[in-house]
Amino acid sequence: MCGIVGAVAQRDVAAILIAGLKQLEYRGYDSAGLAIISADKQLHCLRRVGKVEKLQQAVIESPVFGGTGIAHTRWATHGIANETNAHPHISHQQIAVVHNGIIENHQQLRQQLIEQGYTFSSETDTEVITHLTHFHLQTTETLLEAVQKTIKQLQGAYGTVIIDKNDPEQMIVARSGSPLVIGYGLGEHFVASDPLALLAVTRRFSFLEEGDIAQISRFSVKIFDAQGDPVKRDIVESQTSNESNDKGQYKHYMLKEIFEQPLALQRTLAGRIQQHKIAPDCFPNEKLQGIEHIQIIACGTSYHAALVARYWFESLAGISCNVEIASEFRYRKSVTPKNSLLITLSQSGETADTLAALRLAKQLDYQTTLTICNSPESSLVRESDIAYMMKAGREVGVASSKAFTVQLAALLMLVATLGRQHQLSADREKQIVEALQSLPAKIEQVLAMEQQIKQLAEGFADKHHSLFLGRGEQYPIAMEGALKLKEISYIHAEAYAAGELKHGPLALVDADMPVIVVAPDNELLEKLKSNVEEVRARGGLMIVFADKNSGFKSDDTMQVLEVPHCDPIIAPIVYTIPLQLLSYHVALIKGTDVDQPRNLAKSVTVE
Ligand code: HGA
């Protein structure tokens, strides 16, 4: 999703801004732009639709020099993706603004500004910040005061950076709902929506809190809280590794990340298992004592991980568990059962809806909050009582792969930890631990099925619709398989609990609607076989990923791909892999942008 980078330095900053935007590219965006104040106090703005590469090319063709500048990658919310709507937005060739988020009262403000004589050149909500700042600057002494007045009038979410060509030695930044981090250099300072964008220039950061406004110049950073009082925010050394962002031998990041899963799982398990048990410091036990109910909040792929965990928490640990999509939970009046734990799942730790749900939950009666997250410096990690760091390594592909399977492994470890206070025996915990430890090797075996899956994809790529079926904890895996196919191949896919088929979706089944079934060897296998027969009896064509002991045989109506046998506990993780590979190869044949599918973004920082 949108990225922001800003700098106040003595050197030319264009290259720093472009390099920062490139680090954020993987999040998905539709256009990019920058504005720089030159030594003769002129504002130079360049904007391009499409990749940062195009913006970079524009900068090469018309170089812009200057030490104060802001840059942005936009993921449109208000107004189509074109050059006029791209950020920065400019008022009177003087004020330049970049913004992440949504200004909810933009129409009202736009009307008021038009009445004051302002002309709008874009369809964006953002442009009101630009003109409003210019408007207030007519009656205030400083840019800071003008921005403070502007911010008071805004409703909605923003991370915004504002510069004024008449005051070229500073930028004003404000955060409410969208993350911003200040980077500290020597005689230069930076701002970004993610520290990742600035790792090439600094590792020292302070994270702005909700409502903060900061005045940043080369030699000073002054931060004011929501009440306008000066405040100090800790400067921390970033732990984020500056790991290579290279696709290596792979054609796409997504494929690389699918194949990295054995390693990612090894990393998440390392040091967290001791003598057939989950290590005591994996989840701090004292805060989790007496937990009787779990509420998991997540979005997208993470929501599917949460749904799998619900089966595990209830069947293995005997703890009641609810799962809800963050954007629903945050606007619903919910009842909090006694001794409840709230879990949030988010790869980036900045998912706007999930973060808002966590903040809401803190006003409710939860005993404690825990996040499972892949980004150590994210808002979710900083604001939760307990944080489990996934250590999956950076995930660049917009469609999540390794983050999902690592989330599942982390959740299974939590099930074992909490289960000890309930019905989980030491033997059962040992079985869970051994199953987890077998995962990297098991997944290697499944990855070896790639060629077979590639062939399968050839018969699939011309289809327009598909159904994914699973039962029990494989139902959310079917949901994840359908989501993956939709995301990267743009083929319509729906998932159903196989037992639900006869209540409606069976009407859709014909030879043009491939039905994908996940069939591990578990207690629901015979029930699933009956559901498969229901599809066959209606002329449906099936692809079945089945345990080699399941008894499924390929024939005219069914292609069976044997998945290596595994402990049913970890089957949801194992059966995810062939579905990821299927989506990837279908997308490859269709020629879509696998790593940055249309209309989607990686870190969803708007609600
Ligand atoms: N609402 C602004 C910014 C969108 C955004 O933050 N996307 O992630 C716009 O549409 O330009």
Side-chain angles (χ1 to χ4, degrees), residues 481 484-485 488-489 578-588:
K484 219 52 25 187
L485 191 73
I488 62 170
S489 77
L579 301 187
Q580 292 170 343
L581 285 170
L582 179 65
S583 299
Y584 174 77
H585 282 289
V586 172
L588 201 62

Side-chain angles (χ1 to χ4, degrees), residues 1-2 72 74-79 85 87 89 99-103 124-126 605-606:
M1 199 147 273
C2 300
H72 189 261
R74 174 174 188 247
W75 185 83
T77 65
H78 291 60
N85 288 335
H87 301 208
H89 289 284
H99 159 234
N100 286 355
I102 292 173
I103 306 303
T124 65
D125 51 335
T126 303
T605 51
V606 293

